[in-house]
Amino acid sequence: MGRRLLGAAVSLLVASVLIFIGTSVLPGNAASVVLGRGATPAAVQKLEQQMHLNKPLTTQYTNWLGGFVHGDLGDSSIGLAQGQKHAPVWALISDPVKNSLILALITALFMIPLSLGLGALAAVYAGRPADHAISIMSLAAIALPEFVIGSLLVGVFFVWLDVLPPVAIIPPGQSPLSDPTKLILPVATLLLASLAAGIRMVRAGMVETLQAEYVMAARLNGLSERWVLWRYAMRNALAPSVQVLAQNLQWLIGGIIITETVFAYPGLGSLLVTAVGNRDLGVVQSVAMLIAVVYVMLNLVADLIVLLLVPKLREPA
Amino acid sequence: MSDPHNPRPETGIELFDHRISRGTLLRGAAGTMLGMSPLLAAACGGGSTSSTGTSASTSAATPVKGGTLRAGFVGGGTAETLNLYQGVTPIDESRAQNLFDPLLVVNPDLTTGPGLALEFNANAAATEYEIKLRPGVEFHNGKTFGAEDVIYSMRLMAKSANFASVPFVAGINLKDLKAIDATTVKVPLLYPDADLGANFVYWNTWMVQNGEKDFTNPVGTGPFMFDTFKAGTQSTFKRNPNYWQTGKPYVDELLIQSIDDNNARLEALQSGQIDAMAQLPTADAKAHQATGDITVLVAKSPQAMMFYMDTTQAPFTDVRVRQAMKLIADRPALVASAINGFGSIGNDIVGKGLPFYDNSLPQRVQDIEQAKSLLKQAGQENLTVTLQTSPIFPGFVESATLLAQQAKDAGVTINLKQVPPSAYYNPSALYLKMAFAETQWPPPSIKFFYLQALSSKAPYNETHWKNTAWNDLLFKAIGETDQATAQQTWNQVQKIQYDQGGYINWTNADWVDGLSTKVKGLEPHPAGVLGNYLFMNAWLSG
């Protein structure tokens, strides 16, 4: 486990360098955004000073990373360019972070049991109509990008049936949970776009284990089919599936960016999209780094769960 | 719609550019990231002097009081600001125009009328003005509006950080501004200007209170009072019960919502989560005019959409090549295809509908034979040029593509190069360096456009026009106090641009917005989207 933690730390460090370099080479900066056509070289230079962009890249990087490690996400470049002395990134992103977390958690709450349940169902009925139906529908959903799925759902549930709101406008300071109907279509979009991979992985694992000798043995010993399925087959099929589910959760972060834009949902995705457009590097870097931290944490947790499920992995190699 | 010197792009993707455009416009547009939402809108004057075309009007009946008006705009993310001297996007403009008031208001025919100022009185040489202010106007905090506020505002506008307002006060001798009494201000100028009032209609020049510092809790004299503001999300305003235009506004509350995606904004309107949306894409506008489920608000406006040629870069150094290019453009086809007909036909000079626009120039039409002959004289048969375009405003890429097709008939090959919106209006990248490109100008006045784009010190000299005699003529037109002589001089200024300049103005694009059918009182207005943001006129029926 120690090695895994070290690996995680190194991954994050590499990510931080990549994020910093990646954002630094974006053409234009917040100064030219704020100034618009007035972005003459002299005016830009003045604002770059305000944004501390005149210091060497390495100094900018160490300042930023040092702050991040200590919980200081830095300042919004746009805020500084507009002449504010301090424009803490955290104040700008705290609400969007909460909103996105709520959306992701609710989606995960449905995604995990649905992946397991539908995957197992498909495996048990492998090659029969239920299996085909599940496979074809999940494949069809994954083949469509989120904005198409979102638009289709809006078409059906707003334009046609008029039972659900097509956008999720949430007033600042209000919890998205105060009106759950607004969350239904965004969550459904994310689910449809993400379920297939999990279902297919669980199905493949289950099909394999259901043919394994120990499962056969369990059956021959007269254990009930339900017991065999859940206690023997599922547990072993889970190990590879946990990694896929973790990947799915990581994918959610990406899917959320598009889904939030489609539904005008005030989360991290919408914020990031405008921040990139505005070249608000302070916001982009810190948000990207937070996402990297979540990614790495999800991997660690998945590894841990696999360790718990497969005792043999616990012994040192 | 937005800032005249910094247009912003319209789409979401490059929000960045939003800010870029001449100020506001661009910003507004910025929301388009992902290509979703365009900023846009446009407008231009109708045929002769008047310019307010309309499509649907929402007036009639007696206004009902109360309720909350919720308007959705392309947002600008964290770059949204309450500082009206820095704002460049429509959503910034929507807040500023309702918190603050102008010295002069723009009428629906684009003439000006009294606002916070009752009179602008010039001396004979138009080098000094006395501005008479409206007495008895109160700020939201109860303070009385007066001469010191005007002086403070003008000096604040000149600060370099307030880049959006600087050009409007560049001709004023700010040091010697003087309050003659509580409601009279003496304004000395650096050069003669017969129409100083035209500088104080645009929202980047509206009046703030003496001592206003950071705009975190803005206090104005406008129809709505500040309540809350969360950049990139939502802001709210309360009715000003002491507004000087008695009886207005009609609604109790105003809510401005950022919704970057065009589809999401339209769906929010259709589902009743907002009551008004700015910048309805023209294709959607056409569809909903047919169904009638929402009110499509269309305003003719002077928003110029143009191709431009750098007169200092070959082959455009030859005036015959520029003239040939102007004759190649089939303007009606461009308007019909690139913006679904939501615009009037352009005539290569900017400002249709505005005072001093020259309506006597013949409408330029496509003439391929004449174009070929000019190119032949210039030794440029089989000319090949590159046109740089960008999806920063709706209609840019479409019009460029169509122009390239039209040019084939004249034996001219136009190669299209699509560049990122973030670079298009960025002077550190491509802006002012491209030989052949596209632009958009929503000019608050003819004078503003010529000073910003064509005068010898113009900061946005897209065509790199340099002509000393012409520049003298321009300043003569600006300083001429006799109306008839001023019009004649302005006509000469415009005729030279029409004949020799580097702009191909193919349309003056309409502002196109959507309203819930229960919103009444908002009338199409050539000066801006959603009836020029005059939400004090709006009321909700039913």
Side-chain angles (χ1 to χ4, degrees):
Chain A
M1 198 62 210
R3 242 184 4 192
R4 284 200 169 84
L5 281 175
L6 185 69
V10 172
S11 306
L12 284 176
L13 197 67
V14 172
S16 74
V17 173
L18 290 179
I19 288 168
F20 199 83
I21 295 176
T23 48
S24 300
V25 298
L26 278 179
N29 62 31
S32 41
V33 174
V34 167
L35 291 167
R37 284 192 193 183
T40 56
V44 168
Q45 207 182 4
K46 200 174 153 221
L47 290 198
E48 282 175 350
Q49 227 161 3
Q50 258 168 255
M51 296 186 290
H52 318 300
L53 287 182
N54 52 338
K55 294 182 186 147
L57 265 190
T58 46
T59 317
Q60 291 179 41
Y61 171 74
T62 45
N63 285 350
W64 166 67
L65 191 67
F68 193 91
V69 171
H70 291 99
D72 174 9
L73 300 190
D75 291 313
S76 151
S77 313
I78 288 285
L80 295 178
Q82 285 174 341
Q84 300 170 32
K85 286 256 159 10
H86 288 292
V89 167
W90 179 245
L92 294 172
I93 69 171
S94 55
D95 276 350
V97 164
K98 258 179 265 168
N99 292 342
S100 289
L101 268 183
I102 289 173
L103 190 56
L105 283 176
I106 294 178
T107 306
L109 226 54
F110 286 98
M111 186 176 87
I112 294 172
L114 278 175
S115 301
L116 296 179
L118 290 174
L121 199 68
V124 171
Y125 295 101
R128 316 234 301 262
D131 175 33
H132 292 313
I134 292 172
S135 297
I136 289 171
M137 280 165 64
S138 61
L139 260 185
I142 205 176
L144 296 174
E146 294 88 338
F147 60 87
V148 174
I149 297 180
S151 304
L152 285 176
L153 290 176
V154 167
V156 173
F157 291 99
F158 169 64
V159 179
W160 186 32
L161 299 174
D162 197 14
V163 288
L164 289 172
V167 284
I169 295 170
I170 291 151
Q174 205 177 85
S175 164
L177 297 171
S178 61
D179 184 359
T181 55
K182 287 181 181 168
L183 290 172
I184 295 176
L185 291 183
V187 167
T189 302
L190 285 168
L191 273 179
L192 283 174
S194 67
L195 268 179
I199 292 176
R200 291 171 68 77
M201 202 66 198
V202 172
R203 180 190 174 277
M206 286 285 274
V207 165
E208 199 180 315
T209 44
L210 281 174
Q211 288 160 1
E213 283 178 11
Y214 62 88
V215 172
M216 197 81 79
R219 280 190 177 134
L220 290 175
N221 281 329
L223 294 177
S224 78
E225 185 64 19
R226 184 182 292 179
W227 185 261
V228 169
L229 212 56
W230 295 106
R231 190 77 188 92
Y232 285 72
M234 182 58 107
R235 179 166 176 157
N236 285 287
L238 263 185
S241 306
V242 166
Q243 300 288 4
V244 172
L245 287 176
Q247 274 173 20
N248 258 356
L249 290 174
Q250 291 165 340
W251 172 90
L252 257 188
I253 301 171
I256 266 183
I257 292 180
I258 295 170
T259 306
E260 285 180 357
T261 309
V262 169
F263 291 100
Y265 183 85
L268 211 50
S270 321
L271 179 100
L272 192 60
V273 165
T274 37
V276 171
N278 285 338
R279 296 295 185 269
D280 194 339
L281 297 196
V283 169
V284 175
Q285 288 164 351
S286 291
V287 170
M289 198 59 208
L290 278 180
I291 290 175
V293 170
V294 172
Y295 253 78
V296 170
M297 296 289 287
L298 280 171
N299 262 339
L300 273 181
V301 172
D303 284 349
L304 258 179
I305 294 176
V306 172
L307 281 182
L308 292 175
L309 287 170
V310 189
K312 134 174 122 178
L313 292 176
R314 282 178 227 164
E315 291 148 24
Chain B
M1 128 164 262
S2 357
D3 170 353
H5 25 296
N6 283 330
R8 239 187 185 199
E10 61 200 87
T11 57
I13 281 214
E14 289 264 0
L15 304 190
F16 168 16
D17 299 38
H18 310 298
R19 284 228 167 191
I20 303 191
S21 296
R22 292 168 193 146
T24 337
L25 257 206
L26 285 190
R27 266 193 183 204
T32 21
M33 210 155 175
L34 304 186
M36 314 175 165
S37 31
L39 172 39
L40 238 259
C44 174
S48 43
T49 46
S50 98
S51 54
T52 41
T54 70
S55 54
S57 126
T58 59
S59 57
T62 316
V64 176
K65 296 207 169 217
T68 299
L69 179 73
R70 301 158 302 170
F73 288 82
V74 174
T78 53
E80 289 182 18
T81 178
L82 288 168
N83 182 340
L84 74 167
Y85 300 151
Q86 290 184 350
V88 287
T89 57
I91 193 164
D92 290 336
E93 182 170 8
S94 73
R95 288 183 279 257
Q97 291 224 32
N98 287 285
L99 284 169
F100 304 98
D101 280 317
L103 287 177
L104 296 181
V105 298
V106 189
N107 297 319
D109 64 355
L110 287 174
T111 59
T112 55
L116 289 179
L118 298 175
E119 296 168 28
F120 269 70
N121 297 319
N123 63 3
T127 53
E128 186 175 297
Y129 276 76
E130 253 187 39
I131 305 178
K132 291 265 181 221
L133 302 177
R134 183 181 296 274
V137 174
E138 276 185 11
F139 280 101
H140 300 152
N141 57 8
K143 245 182 57 182
T144 302
F145 166 78
E148 292 299 340
D149 301 303
V150 174
I151 292 172
Y152 181 83
S153 297
M154 286 183 181
R155 286 180 178 155
L156 190 58
M157 285 177 219
K159 298 234 186 284
S160 65
N162 296 326
F163 50 88
S165 55
V166 166
F168 295 96
V169 291
I172 295 176
N173 174 3
L174 294 160
K175 192 164 48 70
D176 295 334
L177 287 172
K178 200 174 156 214
I180 293 173
D181 59 42
T183 54
T184 313
V185 190
K186 187 182 85 170
V187 182
L189 303 184
L190 300 171
Y191 56 81
D193 185 344
D195 192 14
L196 181 68
N199 290 27
F200 295 98
V201 296
Y202 195 65
W203 69 283
N204 288 134
T205 66
W206 292 15
M207 295 293 123
V208 304
Q209 63 170 345
N210 188 2
E212 179 69 69
K213 286 274 186 300
D214 60 5
F215 295 96
T216 49
N217 188 9
V219 170
T221 56
F224 289 91
M225 306 189 295
F226 178 72
D227 185 20
T228 64
F229 169 63
K230 182 102 182 156
T233 310
Q234 197 180 75
S235 48
T236 56
F237 306 86
K238 301 251 185 257
R239 175 179 192 270
N240 175 2
N242 300 319
Y243 193 51
W244 55 272
Q245 296 195 40
T246 316
K248 291 180 181 178
Y250 302 117
V251 295
D252 292 334
E253 212 175 326
L254 170 65
L255 186 152
I256 305 287
Q257 180 75 42
S258 309
I259 310 177
D260 295 347
D261 183 66
N262 280 339
N263 278 330
R265 212 159 60 256
L266 178 55
E267 284 161 3
L269 177 67
Q270 290 177 290
S271 63
Q273 296 190 55
I274 57 174
D275 309 304
M277 74 169 277
Q279 301 164 1
L280 182 64
T282 52
D284 290 323
K286 233 177 170 172
H288 287 282
Q289 276 180 331
T291 61
D293 58 332
I294 57 173
T295 305
V296 177
L297 198 67
V298 180
K300 290 291 168 197
S301 120
Q303 170 177 250
M305 307 269 280
M306 302 184 279
F307 302 102
Y308 65 89
M309 301 167 277
D310 181 343
T311 58
T312 62
Q313 288 194 49
F316 305 116
T317 43
D318 190 325
V319 69
R320 291 168 299 192
V321 173
R322 303 201 292 268
Q323 287 165 343
M325 296 305 288
K326 292 181 187 192
L327 292 169
I328 280 172
D330 179 351
R331 293 167 185 75
L334 284 163
V335 173
S337 299
I339 53 173
N340 290 300
F342 286 96
S344 56
I345 310 298
N347 199 26
D348 296 344
I349 54 170
V350 167
K352 189 163 187 170
L354 286 164
F356 298 123
Y357 178 84
D358 185 358
N359 287 296
S360 64
L361 290 168
Q363 173 63 51
R364 185 160 277 144
V365 293
Q366 187 185 48
D367 187 341
I368 297 293
E369 287 317 307
Q370 178 67 12
K372 276 182 169 167
S373 133
L374 282 164
L375 288 171
K376 194 170 176 189
Q377 288 169 35
Q380 295 285 0
E381 291 163 290
N382 304 316
L383 175 67
T384 298
V385 291
T386 298
L387 171 58
Q388 303 201 62
T389 183
S390 179
I392 195 166
F393 283 97
F396 267 23
V397 175
E398 294 86 343
S399 57
T401 311
L402 195 54
L403 184 72
Q405 286 171 12
Q406 293 171 355
K408 282 185 197 152
D409 294 342
V412 174
T413 306
I414 296 182
N415 294 317
L416 294 183
K417 187 175 170 197
Q418 192 164 325
V419 301
S422 54
Y424 209 61
Y425 277 108
N426 183 348
S428 307
L430 292 172
Y431 189 51
L432 305 180
K433 294 169 188 151
M434 296 178 280
F436 190 23
E438 291 185 89
T439 191
Q440 172 273 7
W441 281 85
S445 66
I446 299 262
K447 175 175 69 178
F448 180 85
F449 171 73
Y450 281 93
L451 285 177
Q452 295 296 303
L454 292 161
S455 71
S456 58
K457 287 183 183 160
Y460 312 113
N461 197 336
E462 294 163 334
T463 59
H464 293 258
W465 176 260
K466 283 266 187 301
N467 181 326
T468 317
W470 180 87
N471 196 62
D472 292 344
L473 198 61
L474 170 64
F475 278 88
K476 201 172 147 231
I478 290 172
E480 178 55 59
T481 52
D482 178 75
Q483 192 72 9
T485 317
Q487 183 69 61
Q488 272 174 17
T489 318
W490 272 114
N491 286 0
Q492 292 171 37
V493 165
Q494 294 171 86
K495 176 84 164 60
I496 292 170
Q497 280 303 317
Y498 177 83
D499 289 336
Q500 304 171 29
Y503 282 113
I504 306 171
N505 174 207
W506 58 275
T507 190
N508 300 299
D510 302 340
W511 305 123
V512 183
D513 309 299
L515 297 177
S516 151
T517 49
K518 69 177 185 177
V519 175
K520 309 289 175 191
L522 272 185
E523 293 293 315
H525 196 297
V529 299
L530 286 174
N532 197 23
Y533 312 87
L534 293 170
F535 299 136
M536 65 173 135
N537 295 334
W539 53 277
L540 305 168
S541 73

